[in-house]
Amino acid sequence: MNDQKNNKRGKGGRKPKINPCNHRYVFRLDDEDNSKFLSLFEASGIDNKAKFITSVLFSKEIKTVKIDKGTVDFYMRLTSFYSQFRAVGVNYNQVVKLLYTHFTEKKAAAFLFLLEKHTAELSALCRKIIELANEFTNGNREK
């Protein structure tokens, strides 16, 4: 009769788990070990400490994600610079078109000569930026 009562459940309440975790273990850490544990836990990205501990104990794969703030900042600035460089290219094309439509050929050629000088400076600057980006990339690969 008791077995029949246990088999029947009321409509309310939580569904029983298929494989409940009934066993509990307790351990204590000193300050140094606790700080190591917390840093490993944060690096793992797992949201539950119990899941983290069981994955470490049973050698399950733990994924850690390290974000280098310098690399992220460098990438953001380089992306911003690239968009500005594209804008300069668009403006360059518009200026050349306007020079030929509103000025005589001689005057337009004089302005284009000045523009060509600044373009050479911009080209040298771009080469330096590419060298710095390559140094940054090679420096991060060695780490």
Side-chain angles (χ1 to χ4, degrees):
M1 187 158 171
N2 267 347
D3 291 335
Q4 289 176 347
K5 283 185 180 180
N6 287 340
N7 287 340
K8 291 184 178 180
R9 286 184 358 113
K11 290 186 180 180
R14 188 168 149 181
K15 292 182 181 179
K17 293 183 178 180
I18 295 170
N19 188 10
C21 299
N22 294 328
H23 306 286
R24 181 177 179 176
Y25 297 95
V26 177
F27 60 95
R28 300 187 187 283
L29 301 172
D30 61 3
D31 290 337
E32 184 179 330
D33 289 340
N34 188 48
S35 65
K36 287 180 186 176
F37 170 75
L38 291 176
S39 65
L40 289 172
F41 172 68
E42 289 173 4
S44 71
I46 298 174
D47 58 345
N48 187 337
K49 289 180 185 174
K51 288 180 183 177
F52 171 72
I53 292 170
T54 55
S55 65
V56 170
L57 285 175
F58 298 118
S59 300
K60 293 180 182 175
E61 184 178 336
I62 300 173
K63 295 180 181 178
T64 57
V65 177
K66 293 183 182 179
I67 298 173
D68 185 10
K69 300 286 184 187
T71 304
V72 172
D73 187 42
F74 179 76
Y75 176 76
M76 294 300 288
R77 290 179 189 260
L78 196 60
T79 303
S80 171
F81 179 75
Y82 179 72
S83 64
Q84 291 174 2
F85 189 75
R86 285 182 53 121
V88 167
V90 170
N91 290 343
Y92 187 89
N93 289 339
Q94 290 173 352
V95 166
V96 170
K97 188 174 182 181
L98 287 173
L99 282 175
Y100 278 113
T101 57
H102 293 291
F103 293 103
T104 62
E105 259 189 65
K106 190 174 183 181
K107 214 170 200 182
F111 284 127
L112 281 176
F113 179 72
L114 293 173
L115 188 59
E116 188 178 332
K117 283 174 137 179
H118 292 296
T119 304
E121 291 174 13
L122 186 63
S123 176
L125 180 64
C126 286
R127 278 190 228 109
K128 287 181 183 178
I129 291 169
I130 291 170
E131 288 174 13
L132 288 172
N134 288 336
E135 286 177 21
F136 185 81
T137 304
N138 294 334
N140 280 345
R141 286 183 187 162
E142 293 173 2
K143 289 182 180 179

